[in-house]
Amino acid sequence: MLIDNHNRTINYLRLAVTDRCNLRCNYCMPSEGIDFVKNDKLFTIDELCRLSDILISQGIDKIRITGGEPFVRKDLMVLLRYLSGLEGLRDISVTTNATLIGPYIDELKALGIKNINVSLDAIDKSTFERITGRDQYDVVHNNLIRLISEGFNVRINFIALEGQNTQDILPVLELARHYDVSVRYLEEMPFNGGSKFFRSIAWDYKRILGHIREVYPDYYPLESPATSTSINYKIPGFKGTFGVIPSFSRTFCGSCNRLRISATGDVITCLYAKASTNLRDIMRGTNAKEKIKEEIVRAVGNRSKTGFEAQEKYENVFSNSMTSIGG
Ligand code: SAM
Ligand code: SF4
């Protein structure tokens, strides 16, 4: 079992499979994109399978596949097939922009991979295009509805962006009225490849909740697992639910059970910290399994207590982009 230096059990791995993406969300990377790394700097699928094995042997029992856009990787299903056959993994989930998932929906269902987070920051097509820089709204919307109809556990991630999409906060909630989905509102974080820097945000979770309360004063809180980053609510009469994720306010650090590994092998113990170590060359060297285990134990034993503490320590952390950190 992995226990950090603040006595938090780490059992949840967010594993990025690529830094590449087919969208250009302006809160995530600059419009010209970032310099994607060369292919040989990314873990191969075989290496990702071996890495998962090692971490599962250390107590990880939940893996979220993320990126970049995971489905940009043509061999992603090889990894998902492998993971779905592993004893000891109780939860496999995927975070995606839902542009490329269409052809894989049937197989994901057959593999029993049910938890899919779809990033959708607008319900209005032109707003979507302005934010993502691409004409993909219809594809995303169709795939989203297909995922819901096929019975996946779908959670929609919507980042409240001042001056861009806050007029869609209430309209996007209509999805939760009609479908059994969870619409989660995230606070924006300054991880956008250095193109924007801010120390405060206009739309924190309290303002988002206040905005929703003006129209739905009867919403009530739901029980959430202690390690959940979202605070969840139900509106009477709605099929689905909604939640807020204080990713900038960082109210949830005390129960954080997460570890991130980027597509290039960086071990990131907190979003607001720099990588503690890199595993790629170790994976390609001798005695990889034992050395990786040691590196993971060392990284987990040196975590900042909170995202604020990490931010103090690592000054230029905001030059990172979420597409390379692995969201
Ligand atoms: N491409 C996939 C997607 O968009 O869902 C997976 C990777 S993306 C980096 C993972 C998550 O990070 C998405 O939900 C995205 O909205 C979120 N994200 C990216 N940049 C962010 C930022 N600056 N602040 C808050 N969340 C961010
Ligand atoms: Fe791509 Fe996801 Fe970043 Fe948007 S948020 S640019 S879809 S990695």
Side-chain angles (χ1 to χ4, degrees):
M1 195 185 304
L2 291 168
I3 304 206
D4 78 5
N5 45 324
H6 304 286
N7 213 24
R8 297 171 293 200
T9 301
I10 308 299
N11 65 334
Y12 176 12
L13 172 66
R14 295 176 71 102
L15 183 61
V17 296
T18 181
D19 64 339
R20 290 164 174 66
C21 189
N22 56 334
L23 300 187
R24 290 289 175 275
C25 304
N26 61 23
Y27 53 79
C28 179
M29 58 169 115
S31 54
E32 66 279 13
I34 56 163
D35 288 334
F36 296 129
V37 299
K38 294 218 170 74
N39 259 334
D40 67 337
K41 298 268 186 273
L42 298 175
F43 277 130
T44 65
I45 288 294
D46 179 56
E47 287 167 341
L48 288 168
C49 293
R50 284 194 280 137
L51 186 61
S52 305
D53 277 337
I54 296 169
L55 280 137
I56 292 166
S57 79
Q58 291 185 289
I60 293 293
D61 63 6
K62 170 173 179 173
I63 297 185
R64 172 170 296 282
I65 300 299
T66 179
E69 172 48 36
F71 289 94
V72 161
R73 254 191 108 137
K74 298 274 186 302
D75 48 6
L76 177 68
M77 292 310 291
V78 179
L79 173 65
L80 293 179
R81 278 176 214 134
Y82 181 79
L83 293 181
S84 65
L86 292 181
E87 297 276 327
L89 204 50
R90 79 185 154 82
D91 187 349
I92 306 165
S93 45
V94 183
T95 299
T96 174
N97 62 30
T99 53
L100 305 168
I101 197 172
Y104 306 107
I105 290 178
D106 289 345
E107 188 175 0
L108 288 168
K109 193 172 171 182
L111 291 175
I113 297 174
K114 294 206 68 175
N115 299 324
I116 310 284
N117 286 7
V118 173
S119 300
L120 179 71
D121 306 294
I123 202 71
D124 170 74
K125 191 171 170 164
S126 55
T127 308
F128 176 92
E129 289 177 13
R130 262 199 308 280
I131 294 173
T132 63
R134 298 289 185 270
D135 169 18
Q136 287 290 312
Y137 179 82
D138 292 336
V139 177
V140 170
H141 197 264
N142 285 344
N143 283 335
L144 172 68
I145 301 302
R146 230 185 109 199
L147 285 165
I148 296 169
S149 323
E150 294 285 345
F152 286 84
N153 241 335
V154 179
R155 299 189 300 189
I156 294 165
N157 286 351
F158 178 107
I159 304 180
L161 302 159
E162 168 73 347
Q164 295 200 71
N165 66 353
T166 51
Q167 68 285 0
D168 279 13
I169 289 178
L170 293 169
V172 81
L173 205 43
E174 290 301 305
L175 288 167
R177 182 197 297 275
H178 299 293
Y179 300 103
D180 183 13
V181 288
S182 169
V183 176
R184 290 130 37 104
Y185 300 93
L186 282 81
E187 294 176 348
E188 184 181 11
M189 298 179 284
F191 300 116
N192 41 55
S195 54
K196 290 197 262 182
F197 177 73
F198 47 86
R199 284 206 180 270
S200 62
I201 43 171
W203 285 84
D204 66 3
Y205 72 103
K206 290 182 187 158
R207 182 167 178 197
I208 297 167
L209 286 175
H211 185 64
I212 295 173
R213 197 178 306 117
E214 280 172 20
V215 178
Y216 300 108
D218 295 339
Y219 75 69
Y220 58 91
L222 296 170
E223 287 267 337
S224 301
T227 52
S228 173
T229 52
S230 59
I231 312 165
N232 300 301
Y233 303 91
K234 179 102 181 157
I235 297 172
F238 276 39
K239 285 193 177 148
T241 61
F242 79 93
V244 285
I245 303 189
S247 28
F248 189 79
S249 303
R250 286 161 264 180
T251 54
F252 44 66
C253 300
S255 58
C256 180
N257 63 343
R258 292 144 188 249
L259 184 68
R260 290 178 160 79
I261 301 186
S262 80
T264 55
D266 279 349
V267 176
I268 300 164
T269 58
C270 170
L271 263 182
Y272 290 83
K274 283 281 185 199
S276 330
T277 181
N278 186 282
L279 302 177
R280 192 192 50 242
D281 292 344
I282 302 177
M283 174 63 93
R284 292 173 187 179
T286 54
N287 206 9
K289 187 172 173 184
E290 286 318 307
K291 287 184 186 159
I292 287 176
K293 279 187 173 182
E294 280 168 24
E295 288 295 304
I296 295 289
V297 169
R298 198 163 57 81
V300 163
N302 279 293
R303 293 181 84 207
S304 295
K305 192 168 183 186
T306 66
F308 294 103
E309 187 184 301
Q311 183 184 333
E312 287 290 307
K313 238 197 269 177
Y314 304 98
E315 229 180 32
N316 61 349
V317 70
F318 293 137
S319 59
N320 286 340
S321 157
M322 282 294 268
T323 193
S324 28
I325 301 169

